[in-house]
Coordinates of all heavy atoms in Angstrom, one line a residue:
M1 N -4.7 -15.9 14.8 CA -3.8 -15.0 14.0 C -4.6 -13.9 13.3 O -5.6 -14.1 12.7 CB -3.0 -15.8 13.0 CG -2.1 -15.0 12.2 SD -0.8 -16.0 11.3 CE -1.7 -16.9 10.2
T2 N -4.1 -12.7 13.5 CA -4.8 -11.5 12.9 C -4.3 -11.4 11.4 O -3.2 -11.8 11.1 CB -4.5 -10.2 13.6 OG1 -3.1 -10.0 13.6 CG2 -5.0 -10.3 15.0
Q3 N -5.2 -10.9 10.6 CA -4.9 -10.7 9.2 C -4.0 -9.5 9.0 O -4.1 -8.5 9.6 CB -6.2 -10.5 8.4 CG -5.9 -10.4 6.9 CD -7.1 -10.2 6.1 OE1 -8.2 -9.8 6.6 NE2 -7.0 -10.5 4.8
T4 N -3.0 -9.7 8.1 CA -2.1 -8.6 7.7 C -2.9 -7.6 7.0 O -3.8 -7.9 6.2 CB -1.0 -9.2 6.8 OG1 -0.3 -10.2 7.5 CG2 -0.1 -8.1 6.2
T5 N -2.6 -6.3 7.2 CA -3.3 -5.2 6.6 C -2.3 -4.3 5.9 O -1.3 -3.9 6.4 CB -4.1 -4.4 7.6 OG1 -5.0 -5.2 8.3 CG2 -4.8 -3.2 6.9
I6 N -2.6 -4.0 4.6 CA -1.8 -3.1 3.9 C -2.7 -1.8 3.7 O -3.8 -1.9 3.3 CB -1.4 -3.6 2.5 CG1 -0.3 -4.7 2.7 CG2 -0.8 -2.5 1.6 CD1 0.3 -5.2 1.4
T7 N -2.1 -0.7 4.1 CA -2.8 0.6 3.9 C -2.1 1.4 2.8 O -0.9 1.5 2.8 CB -2.7 1.4 5.2 OG1 -3.3 0.6 6.3 CG2 -3.5 2.7 5.1
L8 N -2.9 1.8 1.8 CA -2.4 2.6 0.7 C -2.9 4.1 0.9 O -4.1 4.3 0.9 CB -2.9 2.1 -0.6 CG -2.6 2.9 -1.9 CD1 -1.1 3.0 -2.1 CD2 -3.2 2.3 -3.1
Y9 N -1.9 5.0 1.2 CA -2.3 6.4 1.3 C -2.2 7.0 -0.1 O -1.1 6.9 -0.8 CB -1.3 7.1 2.2 CG -1.5 6.6 3.7 CD1 -0.7 5.6 4.2 CD2 -2.5 7.2 4.5 CE1 -0.9 5.2 5.5 CE2 -2.7 6.8 5.8 CZ -1.9 5.8 6.3 OH -2.1 5.3 7.6
T10 N -3.2 7.7 -0.6 CA -3.4 8.1 -1.9 C -4.1 9.4 -2.0 O -4.5 10.0 -1.0 CB -4.1 7.0 -2.7 OG1 -4.2 7.3 -4.1 CG2 -5.5 6.7 -2.2
R11 N -4.3 9.9 -3.2 CA -5.2 11.0 -3.5 C -5.7 10.9 -4.9 O -5.2 10.1 -5.7 CB -4.5 12.4 -3.3 CG -3.4 12.7 -4.3 CD -3.0 14.1 -4.4 NE -2.9 14.8 -3.2 CZ -1.8 15.4 -2.7 NH1 -0.7 15.4 -3.3 NH2 -1.8 16.1 -1.6
N12 N -6.7 11.7 -5.2 CA -7.3 11.7 -6.6 C -6.3 12.3 -7.6 O -5.4 13.0 -7.2 CB -8.6 12.6 -6.6 CG -9.7 12.0 -5.9 OD1 -9.8 10.7 -5.8 ND2 -10.6 12.8 -5.3
R13 N -6.5 11.8 -8.8 CA -5.6 12.3 -9.9 C -4.1 12.1 -9.7 O -3.3 13.0 -9.8 CB -5.9 13.8 -10.3 CG -7.4 14.0 -10.7 CD -7.7 15.5 -10.9 NE -7.4 16.3 -9.7 CZ -8.2 16.4 -8.6 NH1 -9.3 15.7 -8.5 NH2 -7.8 17.2 -7.6
C14 N -3.8 10.9 -9.3 CA -2.4 10.5 -9.0 C -2.1 9.2 -9.7 O -2.4 8.1 -9.3 CB -2.3 10.3 -7.4 SG -0.7 9.6 -6.9
P15 N -1.4 9.4 -10.9 CA -1.1 8.2 -11.7 C -0.2 7.2 -10.9 O -0.4 6.0 -11.1 CB -0.3 8.7 -12.9 CG -0.8 10.2 -13.0 CD -1.0 10.6 -11.6
L16 N 0.7 7.6 -10.1 CA 1.5 6.7 -9.3 C 0.7 5.9 -8.3 O 0.9 4.7 -8.1 CB 2.7 7.4 -8.6 CG 3.9 7.7 -9.4 CD1 4.9 8.5 -8.6 CD2 4.5 6.5 -10.0
C17 N -0.3 6.6 -7.8 CA -1.3 5.9 -6.8 C -2.0 4.8 -7.6 O -2.2 3.7 -7.0 CB -2.2 6.9 -6.2 SG -1.4 8.2 -5.3
D18 N -2.5 5.1 -8.8 CA -3.2 4.1 -9.5 C -2.4 2.9 -9.8 O -2.8 1.8 -9.7 CB -3.7 4.7 -10.9 CG -4.7 5.9 -10.7 OD1 -5.4 5.9 -9.6 OD2 -4.9 6.7 -11.6
K19 N -1.1 3.1 -10.2 CA -0.2 2.0 -10.4 C 0.1 1.2 -9.2 O 0.1 0.0 -9.2 CB 1.1 2.5 -11.0 CG 1.0 3.0 -12.4 CD 2.4 3.5 -12.9 CE 2.2 4.1 -14.3 NZ 3.5 4.5 -14.9
A20 N 0.2 1.9 -8.0 CA 0.4 1.2 -6.8 C -0.8 0.4 -6.4 O -0.7 -0.8 -6.0 CB 0.7 2.2 -5.6
K21 N -2.0 0.9 -6.6 CA -3.2 0.1 -6.3 C -3.3 -1.1 -7.2 O -3.6 -2.2 -6.7 CB -4.4 1.0 -6.5 CG -5.7 0.3 -6.0 CD -6.9 1.2 -6.1 CE -8.1 0.5 -5.6 NZ -9.3 1.4 -5.6
T22 N -3.0 -1.0 -8.4 CA -3.0 -2.1 -9.3 C -2.0 -3.2 -8.9 O -2.3 -4.4 -8.8 CB -2.7 -1.7 -10.8 OG1 -3.7 -0.8 -11.2 CG2 -2.6 -2.9 -11.7
A23 N -0.8 -2.8 -8.5 CA 0.2 -3.7 -8.0 C -0.3 -4.4 -6.8 O -0.1 -5.7 -6.6 CB 1.5 -3.0 -7.7
L24 N -0.9 -3.7 -5.8 CA -1.4 -4.3 -4.6 C -2.5 -5.3 -4.9 O -2.6 -6.3 -4.3 CB -1.8 -3.2 -3.6 CG -0.6 -2.4 -3.1 CD1 -1.2 -1.2 -2.2 CD2 0.3 -3.3 -2.3
E25 N -3.4 -4.9 -5.8 CA -4.5 -5.8 -6.2 C -3.9 -7.1 -6.8 O -4.5 -8.2 -6.6 CB -5.5 -5.1 -7.2 CG -6.3 -4.0 -6.6 CD -7.3 -4.5 -5.6 OE1 -7.6 -5.7 -5.5 OE2 -7.9 -3.6 -4.9
E26 N -2.9 -7.0 -7.6 CA -2.2 -8.2 -8.1 C -1.6 -9.0 -7.0 O -1.7 -10.3 -7.1 CB -1.2 -7.8 -9.2 CG -1.7 -7.2 -10.4 CD -0.7 -6.6 -11.4 OE1 0.5 -6.6 -11.0 OE2 -1.1 -6.1 -12.4
L27 N -1.0 -8.4 -6.0 CA -0.5 -9.2 -4.9 C -1.5 -9.9 -4.1 O -1.3 -10.9 -3.5 CB 0.3 -8.2 -4.0 CG 1.7 -7.8 -4.5 CD1 2.3 -6.7 -3.6 CD2 2.6 -9.0 -4.7
K28 N -2.8 -9.4 -4.1 CA -3.8 -10.0 -3.4 C -4.2 -11.4 -4.0 O -4.8 -12.2 -3.3 CB -5.1 -9.1 -3.3 CG -5.0 -8.0 -2.3 CD -6.3 -7.3 -2.1 CE -7.4 -8.1 -1.5 NZ -7.3 -8.4 -0.1
Q29 N -3.8 -11.6 -5.2 CA -4.0 -12.9 -5.9 C -3.2 -14.0 -5.3 O -3.5 -15.1 -5.3 CB -3.7 -12.8 -7.4 CG -4.5 -11.7 -8.1 CD -5.9 -12.0 -8.3 OE1 -6.3 -13.1 -8.5 NE2 -6.8 -11.0 -8.1
E30 N -2.0 -13.5 -4.7 CA -1.0 -14.5 -4.2 C -1.0 -14.5 -2.7 O -0.7 -15.5 -2.1 CB 0.3 -14.1 -4.7 CG 1.4 -15.0 -4.4 CD 2.8 -14.7 -5.0 OE1 2.8 -13.7 -5.8 OE2 3.7 -15.3 -4.7
W31 N -1.2 -13.4 -2.0 CA -1.0 -13.2 -0.6 C -2.4 -12.9 0.1 O -3.2 -12.3 -0.5 CB 0.0 -12.1 -0.3 CG 1.3 -12.4 -0.8 CD1 1.9 -11.8 -2.0 CD2 2.3 -13.2 -0.3 NE1 3.1 -12.3 -2.1 CE2 3.5 -13.1 -1.1 CE3 2.4 -14.0 0.9 CZ2 4.6 -13.8 -0.9 CZ3 3.6 -14.7 1.1 CH2 4.7 -14.6 0.3
N32 N -2.5 -13.3 1.3 CA -3.7 -13.1 2.1 C -3.5 -11.8 3.0 O -2.8 -11.9 4.0 CB -4.0 -14.3 3.0 CG -5.3 -14.1 3.8 OD1 -6.1 -13.3 3.4 ND2 -5.4 -14.9 4.8
F33 N -4.1 -10.7 2.6 CA -4.0 -9.5 3.3 C -5.2 -8.6 3.1 O -5.9 -8.7 2.0 CB -2.7 -8.7 3.1 CG -2.5 -8.2 1.7 CD1 -3.1 -7.0 1.3 CD2 -1.8 -8.9 0.7 CE1 -2.9 -6.5 -0.1 CE2 -1.7 -8.5 -0.6 CZ -2.2 -7.3 -1.0
G34 N -5.5 -7.8 4.0 CA -6.6 -6.8 3.8 C -6.0 -5.5 3.2 O -4.8 -5.2 3.5
L35 N -6.7 -4.9 2.3 CA -6.2 -3.7 1.7 C -7.1 -2.5 2.0 O -8.3 -2.6 1.8 CB -6.2 -3.8 0.2 CG -5.7 -2.6 -0.7 CD1 -4.3 -2.2 -0.2 CD2 -5.7 -3.0 -2.2
E36 N -6.6 -1.5 2.6 CA -7.3 -0.3 3.0 C -6.7 0.9 2.2 O -5.5 1.1 2.2 CB -7.1 -0.1 4.5 CG -7.7 1.2 5.0 CD -7.4 1.5 6.5 OE1 -6.5 0.9 7.0 OE2 -8.1 2.3 7.1
E37 N -7.6 1.7 1.6 CA -7.1 2.8 0.9 C -7.6 4.1 1.6 O -8.7 4.2 2.0 CB -7.7 2.8 -0.5 CG -7.2 3.9 -1.5 CD -7.7 3.7 -2.9 OE1 -8.3 2.7 -3.2 OE2 -7.4 4.6 -3.7
V38 N -6.6 5.0 1.8 CA -6.9 6.2 2.6 C -6.6 7.4 1.7 O -5.4 7.6 1.3 CB -6.1 6.3 3.9 CG1 -6.3 7.6 4.6 CG2 -6.4 5.1 4.8
D39 N -7.6 8.3 1.5 CA -7.3 9.5 0.7 C -6.8 10.6 1.6 O -7.5 11.0 2.6 CB -8.7 10.0 0.1 CG -8.6 11.2 -0.8 OD1 -7.5 11.9 -0.7 OD2 -9.5 11.5 -1.5
I40 N -5.5 11.0 1.4 CA -4.9 11.9 2.3 C -5.6 13.3 2.3 O -5.4 14.0 3.3 CB -3.4 12.1 2.0 CG1 -3.1 12.7 0.7 CG2 -2.7 10.7 2.2 CD1 -1.7 13.2 0.5
E41 N -6.3 13.6 1.3 CA -7.0 14.9 1.2 C -8.1 15.0 2.1 O -8.7 16.1 2.3 CB -7.4 15.2 -0.3 CG -6.2 15.4 -1.2 CD -6.5 15.6 -2.6 OE1 -7.6 15.3 -3.0 OE2 -5.6 16.1 -3.3
T42 N -8.5 13.9 2.8 CA -9.6 14.0 3.8 C -9.1 14.5 5.2 O -9.8 14.7 6.1 CB -10.3 12.6 4.0 OG1 -9.3 11.7 4.5 CG2 -10.9 12.1 2.7
S43 N -7.7 14.7 5.3 CA -7.1 15.1 6.6 C -6.0 16.0 6.4 O -5.0 15.7 5.6 CB -6.6 13.8 7.3 OG -5.7 14.1 8.3
D44 N -6.0 17.1 7.0 CA -4.9 18.1 6.9 C -3.6 17.5 7.4 O -2.5 17.7 6.8 CB -5.1 19.4 7.7 CG -6.2 20.2 7.1 OD1 -6.5 20.0 5.9 OD2 -6.8 21.1 7.8
D45 N -3.7 16.7 8.5 CA -2.5 16.0 9.0 C -1.9 15.0 8.0 O -0.7 15.0 7.8 CB -2.8 15.2 10.3 CG -1.6 14.5 10.9 OD1 -0.6 15.2 11.1 OD2 -1.7 13.3 11.2
L46 N -2.7 14.2 7.4 CA -2.2 13.3 6.4 C -1.6 14.0 5.2 O -0.6 13.6 4.6 CB -3.3 12.3 6.0 CG -3.8 11.3 7.0 CD1 -4.9 10.4 6.5 CD2 -2.6 10.4 7.4
T47 N -2.3 15.1 4.7 CA -1.8 15.8 3.6 C -0.4 16.4 3.9 O 0.5 16.4 3.1 CB -2.8 17.0 3.2 OG1 -4.0 16.4 2.9 CG2 -2.3 17.8 2.1
E48 N -0.3 16.9 5.1 CA 1.0 17.5 5.5 C 2.1 16.4 5.6 O 3.2 16.6 5.2 CB 0.9 18.2 6.9 CG 2.1 18.9 7.3 CD 1.9 19.7 8.6 OE1 0.8 20.3 8.8 OE2 2.8 19.6 9.5
R49 N 1.7 15.2 6.2 CA 2.7 14.2 6.4 C 3.1 13.5 5.1 O 4.3 13.2 4.9 CB 2.1 13.1 7.3 CG 3.0 12.0 7.7 CD 2.4 11.0 8.6 NE 1.7 11.6 9.7 CZ 0.8 11.0 10.5 NH1 0.6 9.7 10.3 NH2 0.1 11.6 11.4
Y50 N 2.1 13.3 4.1 CA 2.4 12.4 3.0 C 2.2 13.2 1.6 O 2.4 12.5 0.6 CB 1.5 11.2 3.0 CG 1.6 10.3 4.1 CD1 0.6 9.9 4.9 CD2 2.9 9.8 4.4 CE1 0.7 9.1 6.0 CE2 3.1 8.9 5.5 CZ 2.0 8.6 6.3 OH 2.1 7.7 7.3
G51 N 1.9 14.4 1.7 CA 1.6 15.2 0.4 C 2.6 15.0 -0.7 O 2.3 14.9 -1.9
L52 N 3.9 15.0 -0.4 CA 4.9 15.0 -1.4 C 5.4 13.5 -1.6 O 6.2 13.3 -2.5 CB 6.1 15.9 -1.0 CG 5.8 17.3 -0.9 CD1 7.0 18.1 -0.5 CD2 5.3 17.9 -2.3
M53 N 5.0 12.6 -0.8 CA 5.5 11.2 -0.9 C 4.5 10.2 -1.5 O 5.0 9.1 -1.9 CB 5.7 10.7 0.6 CG 6.8 11.5 1.3 SD 6.8 11.0 3.1 CE 7.2 9.3 3.0
I54 N 3.3 10.6 -1.7 CA 2.3 9.6 -2.2 C 2.7 9.0 -3.5 O 3.3 9.6 -4.3 CB 0.9 10.2 -2.2 CG1 0.8 11.3 -3.2 CG2 0.4 10.5 -0.8 CD1 -0.6 11.6 -3.6
P55 N 2.2 7.8 -3.7 CA 1.5 6.9 -2.8 C 2.5 6.4 -1.7 O 3.7 6.3 -1.9 CB 1.1 5.7 -3.6 CG 2.1 5.7 -4.7 CD 2.5 7.1 -5.0
V56 N 1.9 6.1 -0.5 CA 2.7 5.6 0.6 C 2.0 4.3 1.0 O 0.8 4.2 1.1 CB 2.7 6.5 1.8 CG1 3.4 5.9 3.0 CG2 3.4 7.8 1.4
V57 N 2.8 3.2 1.2 CA 2.3 1.9 1.6 C 2.8 1.6 3.0 O 4.0 1.6 3.2 CB 2.7 0.8 0.6 CG1 2.2 -0.6 1.0 CG2 2.1 1.1 -0.8
H58 N 1.8 1.2 3.8 CA 2.1 0.7 5.2 C 1.7 -0.8 5.3 O 0.6 -1.1 4.8 CB 1.4 1.5 6.3 CG 1.9 2.8 6.6 ND1 1.7 3.4 7.7 CD2 2.8 3.6 5.9 CE1 2.3 4.6 7.7 NE2 3.0 4.7 6.6
L59 N 2.6 -1.6 5.8 CA 2.2 -3.0 6.1 C 2.1 -3.2 7.6 O 3.1 -3.0 8.3 CB 3.3 -3.9 5.5 CG 3.3 -5.4 5.8 CD1 2.0 -6.0 5.3 CD2 4.5 -6.1 5.3
D60 N 0.9 -3.4 8.1 CA 0.7 -3.5 9.5 C 1.2 -2.3 10.3 O 1.9 -2.4 11.3 CB 1.2 -4.8 10.1 CG 0.4 -6.0 9.6 OD1 -0.8 -5.9 9.3 OD2 1.0 -7.1 9.6
G61 N 1.0 -1.1 9.7 CA 1.4 0.1 10.4 C 2.8 0.6 10.1 O 3.2 1.7 10.5
E62 N 3.6 -0.3 9.4 CA 5.0 0.1 9.2 C 5.2 0.5 7.7 O 4.7 -0.1 6.8 CB 5.9 -1.1 9.4 CG 7.4 -0.9 9.0 CD 8.2 -2.1 9.1 OE1 7.8 -3.2 9.5 OE2 9.4 -2.0 8.7
E63 N 5.8 1.7 7.5 CA 6.0 2.2 6.1 C 6.9 1.3 5.4 O 8.1 1.1 5.9 CB 6.5 3.6 6.2 CG 6.6 4.2 4.8 CD 7.1 5.7 4.8 OE1 6.5 6.5 5.5 OE2 8.2 5.9 4.2
V64 N 6.5 0.8 4.2 CA 7.3 -0.1 3.5 C 7.6 0.4 2.0 O 8.3 -0.3 1.3 CB 6.7 -1.6 3.4 CG1 6.7 -2.2 4.8 CG2 5.4 -1.6 2.8
G65 N 7.0 1.5 1.7 CA 7.3 2.1 0.4 C 6.6 3.4 0.1 O 5.5 3.6 0.8
F66 N 7.1 4.2 -0.7 CA 6.5 5.4 -1.1 C 7.0 5.8 -2.5 O 8.0 5.4 -2.9 CB 6.7 6.6 -0.1 CG 8.1 7.1 0.0 CD1 8.5 8.1 -0.7 CD2 8.9 6.4 0.9 CE1 9.8 8.6 -0.6 CE2 10.2 6.9 1.1 CZ 10.7 8.0 0.3
G67 N 6.2 6.7 -3.2 CA 6.5 7.1 -4.5 C 6.3 6.0 -5.5 O 5.2 5.5 -5.6
F68 N 7.3 5.5 -6.2 CA 7.2 4.4 -7.1 C 7.1 3.1 -6.2 O 8.1 2.8 -5.5 CB 8.3 4.3 -8.1 CG 8.2 3.1 -8.9 CD1 7.3 3.0 -10.0 CD2 9.0 2.0 -8.7 CE1 7.2 1.9 -10.8 CE2 8.9 0.8 -9.5 CZ 8.0 0.8 -10.5
I69 N 6.0 2.4 -6.2 CA 5.9 1.2 -5.3 C 6.4 0.0 -6.1 O 5.9 -0.3 -7.2 CB 4.4 1.0 -4.9 CG1 3.9 2.3 -4.2 CG2 4.2 -0.2 -4.1 CD1 4.7 2.7 -2.9
D70 N 7.3 -0.7 -5.5 CA 7.9 -1.9 -6.0 C 7.2 -3.1 -5.6 O 7.2 -3.5 -4.4 CB 9.4 -2.0 -5.6 CG 10.1 -3.2 -6.2 OD1 9.5 -4.1 -6.7 OD2 11.4 -3.1 -6.2
K71 N 6.4 -3.7 -6.5 CA 5.6 -4.9 -6.2 C 6.4 -6.0 -5.6 O 5.9 -6.7 -4.6 CB 4.9 -5.3 -7.5 CG 4.0 -6.5 -7.3 CD 3.3 -6.7 -8.7 CE 2.9 -8.2 -8.9 NZ 2.3 -8.4 -10.2
F72 N 7.6 -6.2 -6.1 CA 8.4 -7.3 -5.6 C 8.9 -7.1 -4.2 O 9.0 -8.0 -3.4 CB 9.5 -7.6 -6.6 CG 9.0 -8.0 -8.0 CD1 9.0 -7.1 -9.0 CD2 8.4 -9.3 -8.2 CE1 8.5 -7.5 -10.3 CE2 7.8 -9.6 -9.4 CZ 7.9 -8.7 -10.4
A73 N 9.2 -5.8 -3.9 CA 9.7 -5.5 -2.5 C 8.5 -5.7 -1.5 O 8.8 -6.3 -0.4 CB 10.2 -4.0 -2.5
I74 N 7.3 -5.3 -1.9 CA 6.2 -5.6 -1.0 C 6.0 -7.1 -0.9 O 5.7 -7.6 0.2 CB 4.9 -4.9 -1.6 CG1 5.1 -3.4 -1.8 CG2 3.7 -5.2 -0.7 CD1 5.3 -2.6 -0.5
S75 N 6.1 -7.8 -1.9 CA 5.9 -9.3 -1.9 C 6.9 -9.9 -0.9 O 6.6 -10.8 -0.1 CB 6.1 -9.9 -3.3 OG 5.9 -11.3 -3.2
N76 N 8.2 -9.4 -1.0 CA 9.2 -9.9 -0.1 C 8.8 -9.6 1.4 O 9.1 -10.4 2.3 CB 10.6 -9.3 -0.4 CG 11.1 -9.9 -1.7 OD1 10.8 -11.0 -2.1 ND2 12.0 -9.2 -2.3
R77 N 8.2 -8.5 1.6 CA 7.8 -8.1 3.0 C 6.7 -9.0 3.5 O 6.5 -9.2 4.7 CB 7.4 -6.6 3.0 CG 8.5 -5.6 2.7 CD 9.7 -5.7 3.7 NE 9.4 -5.4 5.1 CZ 9.6 -4.2 5.6 NH1 10.3 -3.3 4.9 NH2 9.3 -3.9 6.8
L78 N 5.9 -9.5 2.5 CA 4.8 -10.4 2.9 C 5.2 -11.8 3.2 O 4.4 -12.6 3.6 CB 3.7 -10.3 1.8 CG 2.9 -9.0 1.7 CD1 2.2 -8.9 0.4 CD2 1.9 -8.9 2.9
Q79 N 6.4 -12.1 2.8 CA 6.9 -13.5 3.0 C 6.8 -13.9 4.5 O 6.9 -13.1 5.4 CB 8.3 -13.7 2.6 CG 8.4 -13.9 1.1 CD 9.8 -14.5 0.7 OE1 10.8 -14.0 1.1 NE2 9.7 -15.5 -0.2
G80 N 6.4 -15.1 4.7 CA 6.2 -15.6 6.0 C 4.7 -15.5 6.4 O 4.3 -16.0 7.4
K81 N 4.0 -14.8 5.6 CA 2.5 -14.7 5.8 C 1.8 -15.8 5.1 O 2.4 -16.4 4.2 CB 2.0 -13.3 5.3 CG 2.7 -12.1 5.9 CD 2.4 -11.9 7.4 CE 3.1 -10.7 7.9 NZ 2.9 -10.5 9.3
N82 N 0.6 -16.0 5.3 CA -0.1 -17.1 4.6 C -0.4 -16.8 3.2 O -0.9 -15.7 2.9 CB -1.5 -17.4 5.4 CG -1.3 -18.0 6.7 OD1 -0.3 -18.7 7.0 ND2 -2.2 -17.7 7.6
R83 N -0.1 -17.7 2.3 CA -0.4 -17.6 0.9 C -1.8 -18.1 0.7 O -2.3 -19.0 1.4 CB 0.5 -18.5 0.0 CG 1.9 -17.9 -0.1 CD 2.7 -18.8 -1.1 NE 4.0 -18.3 -1.4 CZ 4.2 -17.6 -2.5 NH1 3.3 -17.5 -3.4 NH2 5.4 -17.1 -2.7
I84 N -2.5 -17.5 -0.3 CA -3.9 -18.0 -0.7 C -3.7 -19.2 -1.5 O -4.5 -20.2 -1.3 CB -4.6 -16.9 -1.4 CG1 -4.9 -15.7 -0.5 CG2 -5.9 -17.5 -2.0 CD1 -5.6 -14.5 -1.2
K85 N -2.8 -19.3 -2.4 CA -2.6 -20.4 -3.3 C -1.5 -21.3 -2.8 O -0.5 -20.8 -2.4 CB -2.4 -19.9 -4.7 CG -3.6 -19.2 -5.3 CD -3.3 -18.7 -6.7 CE -4.5 -17.9 -7.2 NZ -4.3 -17.4 -8.5

């Protein structure tokens, strides 16, 4: 079974991104997933795609949240995956 991956699209000086990262780090205490952080400012395509939406969260490639990230909604999407505890 492959590990679930959450990708956080972010940029520097983004308070909502910082809050989203904290929420995802808290979820890692309960759920087994890899966390990848991508700075959209490293790519013109990503900046064009997500510039007004960040932070954006993808779960195994599927967009599951943007803007204000709801920790509980992400947790619900992780249900059915392996828990650490």
Side-chain angles (χ1 to χ4, degrees):
M1 177 164 65
T2 60
Q3 182 179 20
T4 298
T5 301
I6 290 185
T7 305
L8 173 63
Y9 293 94
T10 184
R11 70 163 36 123
N12 290 328
R13 298 174 307 281
C14 169
L16 280 178
C17 299
D18 295 339
K19 288 180 182 181
K21 185 174 182 179
T22 297
L24 293 172
E25 291 290 348
E26 290 171 359
L27 285 171
K28 281 186 70 70
Q29 305 290 319
E30 184 178 356
W31 298 100
N32 184 20
F33 63 87
L35 179 58
E36 176 186 17
E37 189 172 349
V38 177
D39 182 348
I40 67 166
E41 292 179 340
T42 63
S43 162
D44 290 341
D45 180 52
L46 290 176
T47 299
E48 185 176 321
R49 187 179 313 165
Y50 298 126
L52 298 176
M53 297 171 58
I54 62 160
V56 176
V57 175
H58 282 199
L59 174 61
D60 289 336
E62 177 187 354
E63 185 179 303
V64 295
F66 66 92
F68 177 78
I69 302 303
D70 183 343
K71 179 177 153 182
F72 299 105
I74 302 295
S75 181
N76 287 338
R77 296 300 294 261
L78 287 164
Q79 276 196 317
K81 306 291 182 181
N82 291 331
R83 284 183 175 259
I84 293 175
K85 296 181 181 177

